[in-house]
Amino acid sequence: MTAQTSGGDGPRTDTVAAVVRQWQDVHPGLDTGPMEIIGRINRSAALLQQAEDAPLRRAGLSRPEFDLLGALRRTGHELTPGDLARETFSSGAAVTKRLKQLTERGLVERRGDTRDRRVVHLRLTDAGRDLVDGILPEQLTYETGVLSVLDGEKQGELASLLGELLTRLEGRLGALRV
């Protein structure tokens, strides 16, 4: 597939298509297929991050903060900062910074380990649980609206393809990080 076609729907006019056409002008024989996929994934992710998730913004939360709160809520038990870093694919330093803010806001509680003082256990406060439970349906409605440009069948197909890609990348690239 090239930037000139989109499976019979006519020429693509997104920003990645323009970049691909420029590369094809400079290097006509270059296979830009990977750029067309990775570029669109990256551009879509950047645009979604710029939108900043309206319901989260209204609640005074960033997406990474909500991800931490969500991890504590969905696992249903206390987690350590290391556990949270793994659950949210974040660095330890980023988790520490976010936890400080969430603790100051009264959304997360810290409890020292009785056997090892270096270990900290974290859990949601009642206010944190209420916030997550209140905002999650609104956030999902917001995300449904963002995805409404695709019909249900295309959303399912995209979810399946991205799931397959992610599974393979996690297996391949995850092994490289260990």
Side-chain angles (χ1 to χ4, degrees):
M1 177 182 352
T2 69
Q4 302 300 317
T5 63
S6 60
D9 297 333
R12 287 208 173 114
T13 58
D14 61 62
T15 55
V16 172
V19 169
V20 167
R21 280 191 298 274
Q22 289 169 338
W23 277 117
Q24 288 173 342
D25 288 345
V26 175
H27 292 288
L30 197 62
D31 176 10
T32 56
M35 183 184 298
E36 294 179 53
I37 296 168
I38 303 296
R40 286 187 175 97
I41 290 171
N42 288 337
R43 179 72 176 141
S44 294
L47 289 170
L48 289 169
Q49 287 175 347
Q50 286 176 7
E52 284 202 39
D53 303 312
L56 301 181
R57 190 174 58 245
R58 281 194 296 277
L61 291 172
S62 67
R63 168 59 79 163
E65 289 171 334
F66 183 71
D67 288 347
L68 287 180
L69 295 173
L72 287 167
R73 180 66 173 125
R74 74 176 185 270
T75 60
H77 56 81
E78 293 181 344
L79 297 173
T80 65
D83 295 333
L84 277 173
R86 283 185 293 281
E87 283 287 328
T88 61
F89 310 104
S90 300
S91 71
V95 167
T96 299
K97 179 182 175 187
R98 291 176 195 132
L99 284 172
K100 182 178 186 300
Q101 295 165 338
L102 295 170
T103 302
E104 288 171 358
R105 289 182 60 186
L107 301 172
V108 174
E109 294 180 324
R110 303 168 65 94
R111 180 184 64 79
D113 190 276
T114 55
R115 291 174 288 196
D116 187 344
R117 291 183 6 202
R118 297 170 295 175
V119 177
V120 174
H121 298 276
L122 304 154
R123 69 177 179 195
L124 288 177
T125 63
D126 289 342
R129 187 172 25 267
D130 290 346
L131 179 64
V132 172
D133 288 351
I135 204 169
L136 184 58
E138 187 180 354
Q139 181 64 23
L140 290 171
T141 298
Y142 170 79
E143 291 175 0
T144 298
V146 168
L147 293 172
S148 68
V149 297
L150 300 174
D151 67 32
E153 186 177 321
K154 285 186 178 178
Q155 286 183 32
E157 185 179 334
L158 180 59
S160 178
L161 289 170
L162 289 172
E164 183 179 339
L165 177 63
L166 183 59
T167 298
R168 294 191 182 194
L169 289 174
E170 286 176 338
R172 225 167 126 194
L173 300 178
L176 296 176
R177 283 192 225 161
V178 175

